[in-house]
Amino acid sequence: MRLVEVAVAVPVHKTFTYTCSSDWDLSNGMRVLVPFGRKLFTGYVVGFPIDVKIDPSLLRPIRKALDFEPVLNSELLQLGFWLSRYYLAAPGEVFRSMLPTGLNFRGDYEIVLVQTPDQKSLVWDQDRIVAILEHGPIRFETLARRLGRKNLWRQVKGLAAEGLIVVRECLEEKSLEKTALYVNLGSQSNATRLTLLQTVALEKLRAMSLPVRLSELPRSGISAATIRSLQKKNLVRVEQRVVRRKPFQLEVPQCREFWTLNSKQKEAVRQMGEAVAQRRFQSFLLHGVTGSGKTEVYLHVIAQALELGRSALMLVPEIALTPGLAKNFQTWFGEHVAILHSALSVGERHDEWQRIRKNQARVVIGTRSAVFCPLQNLGIIIVDEEHDSSYKQEENPMYNGRDSALIRGRFNNAVVVLGSATPSLESYFQAREAGKHCYIAISERVRSRALPTVHIVDMRTEFQHYGKAAILSDLLKQGIAERLKRKEQIMVLLNRRGYAPVLLCRSCGHVLTCEHCSVTLTYHREGRRLRCHYCGYACSIPGRCPGCDGEYLFLVGEGTERVQEAIQGLFPGAVVDRLDRDATRVKGGPQTILRRFDSGETQILVGTQMIAKGHDFPNVTLVGVLNADSGLRIPDFRSAERTFQLITQVAGRSGRGQVEGEVIVQTYYPNHYALRYACMQDYHRFYQHEIRYRKLFSYPPFSSLANVVTQDSELKKCQQKATLFAHEVKQVLKDRQIEGSLRLLGPSEALLARLKGDYRYQTLLKARSRQVLHFVLEETLHRLEEKRINTNGWTIDVDPLQIL
């Protein structure tokens, strides 16, 4: 017997010891199937202890080894354990998040009825179980879903003990490889008595580049029946081969296009290239204004890394950014490029991951989770738009992709580049004042192009003039009309999807809210439904008010659907498209929309923040920003920073070609410093203004935060959990005599007080020292565990980017 330490993919903050036969060829990083409680889960081998404190005969055996070689190398295991410690996440859940979805196998049990019992002897749900099993064997999880019972296992065990049913393990893992039949020439070169069809087919095959896929032959006039007849005569052979699924097809130019770098770009490439060549960890903050050519810098440095035999990883915040970047990167690096993001199918993601693992792809472009891709000999990691909140995972494990990239770069002696036109205040502070990142600034656009001219429109004046709220100001309507005449393109940003965010009764003031969340329902014209953007609940618009039975229901406010409709009504001859989260639900949706806009087929593109990041459309000369101050109303210390970043970024989409750009910002709060500095494209003055507030109120980068959210379907229990946690934190501070080193805010009702049927209370911990914060959290959780208090379902968010 051999002892094996396993991180099981369950929300428990420790590893577990199992046994296996001594002749099993296991190693660290392999997946195994292990029993945990009543179910089978994927586990990840992390060690082989020599001895344990309990009798080894009491340990449970591993059911099955799922791999012949490790899927997590030693470096990824090291990174996973670091993430588990830093973000206080279960190690098994961290390792699960590091792998493609299809590789996280979970076993099940199959239940078979072997004897029909006397119905009078059955209790509880046993009669219903038997009735289902009479139709044939069924998986336990399927049975549990159909009956909706949490204690179903007890009834199944009772039936099994009586010999009425048999419960057997289902351990087979479904293969994720896609295969297809291919045709090649057989062992016989000549044959007599061939029909005319067979002779013609054979001549065509000899003229083809073989092997050829069987499903493609009918296009050449060769039927499957003809191939079968030739196969019987050994003139051809049909074989099954693994087929690679490509994320999407791109029209890539045959030769790459080189731009002449300016002096600032050359200096950036030189400094980064030297660090890559020296094989040392070095982090850079590349602060370049929008349109300054940061992507060209990335391409040149990656090319240098590849020449040195190293690999490269490029992280982007949005799925919508990957097609354009992929085209640029495939132009430069050909088939060495792999793409990873959540919109890929399970099979596509598996194929790309396998290419990376086998070193067939040495350049990876992807969103947040791509930071865990199995690249070998990693030389450089680039985090584009490093300020973006999309890099932060909002469910367990709540890691930050940007910070994970920095740690992975350190483990690999690799260069890490954080690039942005609007760096996060923390990154800028670490570079300029703490000296942790090498700071490189590019303050001019390529080819000395001017930054766009920005106008602020005070919508209060528009309201006074027309006596009602307007979606588009006169200045914006005039600007759109002028651009359409000149055959130029326009982008319009409104960071709210749907048609209208509120359905209001004008009689009693009742607002329709979600049944499961404390948010209003948003009306979507597509589908004509009211939807919750948090839990997915949807319903039809009621005929009368649920509160007073009144008939005067009114849609308040506007989303991207309503803006698209308004613009189409004003300019019926223009082609208006929309890019928001609703578009990403259709596979290939964002790519299709962006391709139409890039080709000029679409003249006006309306969208949420998805249109603000990284896109390069030379013919866009006007950008309109609607409701620019909406983000300032959120009670979060980062609201001003996010508003500044969003407006600066979307303004940078204008004027990237030969014609100078213009930006029109509509707001009811024109004097706010975040809006004024964003319109001036002046990051440094905004930073100086904002950093004073952060220091005064001791928020990051002058402190470290953790947000702990307790939740329960019952309000009273939720409050009790939050109070218990806060009491335990205070007790730790008192016992360790460190009361003055950490401040406790709360517990209080969360801003999003109810979510998916659960009430939510939050407690914010603020400490000057990151070490103190982690010590207090770890000690508190340890004490709660000793008291057998279940913390499953609690959210512990270290370094939160938003406090909702």
Side-chain angles (χ1 to χ4, degrees):
M1 184 166 41
R2 188 182 187 190
L3 301 179
V4 184
E5 198 68 16
V6 177
V8 186
V10 293
V12 181
H13 295 251
K14 61 180 180 181
T15 58
F16 298 87
T17 306
Y18 288 85
T19 62
C20 74
S21 174
S22 58
D23 60 355
W24 281 28
D25 187 17
L26 291 179
S27 58
N28 287 337
M30 284 186 175
R31 296 172 306 142
V32 290
L33 195 63
V34 295
F36 191 87
R38 299 168 180 166
K39 297 182 180 181
L40 298 171
F41 289 88
T42 298
Y44 309 92
V45 177
V46 295
F48 300 92
I50 299 175
D51 194 14
V52 291
K53 295 180 181 179
I54 64 173
D55 184 356
S57 64
L58 300 177
L59 298 175
R60 303 178 76 176
I62 293 173
R63 289 288 192 270
K64 185 180 182 180
L66 298 174
D67 299 308
F68 294 106
E69 57 184 14
V71 293
L72 294 167
N73 58 33
S74 58
E75 177 250 324
L76 288 175
L77 287 173
Q78 183 186 14
L79 176 63
F81 277 118
W82 184 92
L83 292 171
S84 174
R85 290 190 299 270
Y86 186 82
Y87 292 105
L88 299 171
E93 290 194 322
V94 173
F95 292 130
R96 178 176 60 188
S97 69
M98 298 174 84
L99 294 172
T101 305
L103 289 180
N104 293 305
F105 174 64
R106 181 172 172 177
D108 199 358
Y109 295 94
E110 187 176 56
I111 306 170
V112 183
L113 182 68
V114 294
Q115 181 181 341
T116 304
D118 180 6
Q119 293 291 327
K120 295 181 180 179
S121 65
L122 301 179
V123 297
W124 296 94
D125 289 320
Q126 290 182 347
D127 56 341
R128 297 178 64 190
I129 295 172
V130 169
I132 292 173
L133 291 177
E134 286 176 345
H135 296 283
I138 192 171
R139 295 286 182 98
F140 176 76
E141 286 200 358
T142 306
L143 183 66
R145 282 197 302 270
R146 289 179 64 176
L147 294 180
R149 295 288 187 271
K150 293 184 178 180
N151 60 347
L152 192 64
W153 187 254
R154 185 187 307 169
Q155 312 305 331
V156 170
K157 285 181 68 176
L159 291 170
E162 296 174 19
L164 302 176
I165 64 172
V166 172
V167 181
R168 55 196 183 204
E169 294 176 342
C170 301
L171 306 182
E172 293 303 315
E173 184 178 22
K174 183 180 179 181
S175 174
L176 292 175
E177 289 185 337
K178 181 180 180 180
T179 58
L181 295 176
Y182 279 78
V183 178
N184 209 336
L185 293 177
S187 57
Q188 294 290 332
S189 57
N190 294 299
T192 57
R193 298 182 181 178
L194 290 180
T195 66
L196 179 61
L197 284 175
Q198 292 171 346
T199 303
V200 172
L202 202 58
E203 290 175 355
K204 288 182 178 179
L205 284 172
R206 286 169 178 162
M208 292 179 182
S209 177
L210 299 176
V212 62
R213 197 163 173 171
L214 178 62
S215 60
E216 296 175 358
L217 289 180
R219 301 176 189 171
S220 303
I222 304 174
S223 67
T226 303
I227 293 296
R228 284 195 296 270
S229 63
L230 291 173
Q231 186 181 14
K232 290 178 182 178
K233 297 178 179 181
N234 292 327
L235 291 170
V236 300
R237 66 177 187 272
V238 180
E239 52 197 14
Q240 199 168 49
R241 294 191 172 198
V242 175
V243 179
R244 175 195 166 196
R245 289 155 288 203
K246 295 186 178 181
F248 40 77
Q249 301 292 333
L250 295 172
E251 295 180 5
V252 180
Q254 294 298 314
C255 58
R256 62 186 183 186
E257 186 177 6
F258 289 94
W259 295 98
T260 303
L261 301 182
N262 60 34
S263 59
K264 293 286 187 181
Q265 290 173 309
K266 288 178 181 177
E267 179 59 21
V269 171
R270 185 192 67 79
Q271 291 187 41
M272 297 173 192
E274 286 181 358
V276 172
Q278 293 169 10
R279 292 181 174 267
R280 61 181 171 88
F281 168 70
Q282 176 67 61
S283 57
F284 292 86
L285 176 60
L286 180 60
H287 184 188
V289 298
T290 55
S292 60
K294 294 186 289 295
T295 302
E296 288 296 313
V297 172
Y298 302 153
L299 289 166
H300 280 80
V301 178
I302 289 173
Q304 292 184 16
L306 295 181
E307 288 175 2
L308 294 169
R310 307 194 74 179
S311 58
L313 170 62
M314 172 90 167
L315 296 180
V316 295
E318 289 281 358
I319 297 168
L321 290 179
T322 52
L325 274 174
K327 185 173 181 179
N328 284 337
F329 274 63
Q330 287 189 342
T331 301
W332 275 63
F333 308 118
E335 286 297 311
H336 287 295
V337 178
I339 297 170
L340 292 175
H341 56 69
S342 59
L344 301 184
S345 68
V346 172
E348 289 171 340
R349 193 173 180 85
H350 171 266
D351 288 358
E352 292 294 271
W353 185 84
Q354 288 289 2
R355 288 181 62 228
I356 299 164
R357 184 185 178 197
K358 295 173 182 176
N359 209 28
Q360 295 171 355
R362 296 168 56 207
V363 180
V364 175
I365 307 170
T367 48
R368 178 180 60 230
S369 61
V371 73
F372 304 128
C373 69
L375 278 169
Q376 303 172 30
N377 197 15
L378 190 55
I380 184 168
I381 305 174
I382 297 166
V383 185
D384 194 28
E385 311 292 357
E386 65 85 27
H387 65 277
D388 199 281
S389 60
S390 300
Y391 286 121
K392 177 71 170 179
Q393 175 138 309
E394 296 300 329
E395 57 187 25
N396 289 325
M398 303 184 78
Y399 68 91
N400 189 310
R402 177 198 62 198
D403 298 340
S404 302
L406 287 165
I407 298 301
R408 189 171 186 191
R410 187 182 297 276
F411 289 165
N412 283 272
N413 289 320
V415 169
V416 180
V417 180
L418 310 179
S420 178
T422 54
S424 65
L425 261 71
E426 289 94 327
S427 293
Y428 190 81
F429 178 87
Q430 298 292 351
R432 299 296 280 166
E433 301 188 35
K436 291 188 177 181
H437 307 311
C438 179
Y439 180 76
I440 301 176
I442 304 178
S443 56
E444 293 183 357
R445 283 186 159 185
V446 293
R447 296 172 188 77
S448 300
R449 289 172 182 157
L451 288 168
T453 303
V454 183
H455 305 284
I456 294 182
V457 177
D458 188 344
M459 294 305 287
R460 297 173 299 183
T461 305
E462 294 279 323
F463 182 84
Q464 291 170 2
H465 184 265
Y466 289 103
K468 62 178 182 178
I471 296 178
L472 303 180
S473 64
D474 287 342
L475 184 61
L476 183 54
K477 287 186 282 190
Q478 180 184 342
I480 293 173
E482 291 176 358
R483 267 57 181 199
L484 291 175
K485 286 181 182 178
R486 302 204 301 250
K487 307 296 184 183
E488 296 167 3
Q489 290 175 296
I490 305 102
M491 299 177 83
V492 178
L493 168 76
L494 175 62
N495 204 21
R496 181 191 294 139
R497 62 189 175 97
Y499 188 85
V502 175
L503 182 63
L504 172 74
C505 174
R506 285 180 163 178
S507 298
C508 69
H510 179 78
V511 173
L512 269 75
T513 58
C514 177
E515 293 183 358
H516 313 290
C517 310
S518 56
V519 295
T520 60
L521 292 172
T522 300
Y523 176 63
H524 286 253
R525 176 63 63 89
E526 290 184 3
R528 299 187 179 278
R529 305 275 282 175
L530 292 167
R531 298 186 183 278
C532 174
H533 289 172
Y534 287 90
C535 73
Y537 170 78
C539 65
S540 303
I541 291 185
R544 305 183 76 88
C545 173
C548 69
D549 200 35
E551 58 181 321
Y552 302 106
L553 297 176
F554 180 66
L555 292 170
V556 180
E558 59 272 342
T560 49
E561 287 183 358
R562 196 169 202 166
V563 172
Q564 181 186 17
E565 180 186 81
I567 293 176
Q568 193 71 76
L570 289 168
F571 306 99
V575 179
V576 186
D577 220 333
R578 192 182 80 251
L579 180 63
D580 53 27
R581 287 290 172 203
D582 296 325
T584 65
R585 293 177 181 173
V586 180
K587 186 175 177 62
Q591 292 82 18
T592 302
I593 293 167
L594 292 172
R595 195 181 304 118
R596 286 201 299 259
F597 193 64
D598 190 29
S599 67
E601 181 182 341
T602 302
Q603 286 85 50
I604 304 173
L605 182 62
V606 177
T608 57
Q609 61 180 354
M610 294 180 72
I611 70 170
K613 306 163 187 174
H615 303 296
D616 188 2
F617 300 116
N619 198 38
V620 172
T621 59
L622 175 64
V623 168
V625 182
L626 312 186
N627 207 0
D629 46 57
S630 60
L632 297 172
R633 306 186 195 110
I634 300 173
D636 190 311
F637 71 93
R638 284 195 171 92
S639 294
E641 180 185 11
R642 281 196 287 263
T643 299
F644 171 84
Q645 290 168 340
L646 181 61
I647 294 175
T648 304
Q649 289 286 341
V650 74
R653 302 314 107 203
S654 180
R656 297 170 79 95
Q658 301 298 323
V659 180
E660 187 174 337
E662 182 182 10
V663 182
I664 298 172
V665 178
Q666 298 183 177
T667 176
Y668 286 94
Y669 200 179
N671 296 321
H672 194 281
Y673 67 93
L675 296 177
R676 287 191 290 107
Y677 292 136
C679 292
M680 295 165 61
Q681 304 271 294
D682 195 334
Y683 177 87
H684 301 285
R685 290 177 68 179
F686 170 78
Y687 172 83
Q688 295 299 331
H689 196 122
E690 180 69 13
I691 203 71
R692 290 199 297 268
Y693 291 124
R694 298 286 182 93
K695 189 172 185 178
L696 179 63
F697 296 105
S698 189
Y699 277 109
F702 301 101
S703 66
S704 295
L705 300 181
N707 189 34
V708 179
V709 178
T710 58
Q711 51 194 39
D712 197 281
S713 57
E714 297 181 27
L715 177 59
K716 188 174 182 179
K717 288 184 179 180
C718 181
Q719 293 171 330
Q720 289 173 345
K721 290 177 182 179
T723 302
L724 177 64
F725 173 78
H727 171 76
E728 209 62 54
V729 169
K730 292 174 183 176
Q731 197 61 45
V732 170
L733 295 174
K734 182 179 179 181
D735 293 347
R736 301 296 182 179
Q737 298 181 348
I738 52 174
E739 289 99 330
S741 60
L742 183 143
R743 187 180 177 192
L744 195 66
L745 303 176
S748 61
E749 189 177 64
L751 181 61
L752 195 56
R754 194 161 175 258
L755 180 66
K756 297 180 181 178
D758 285 339
Y759 294 94
R760 306 169 74 245
Y761 263 67
Q762 66 181 25
T763 307
L764 190 66
L765 287 75
K766 184 192 295 186
R768 292 275 184 180
S769 165
R770 197 177 298 276
Q771 288 74 23
V772 169
L773 178 68
H774 274 81
F775 170 78
V776 172
L777 280 171
E778 290 169 359
E779 181 74 12
T780 301
L781 292 174
H782 177 68
R783 293 187 180 190
L784 291 171
E785 184 180 355
E786 286 185 333
K787 295 179 179 179
R788 297 187 178 279
I789 294 170
N790 185 10
T791 59
N792 286 347
W794 295 21
T795 300
I796 302 172
D797 190 358
V798 178
D799 299 336
L801 290 188
Q802 55 185 359
I803 304 171
L804 295 178

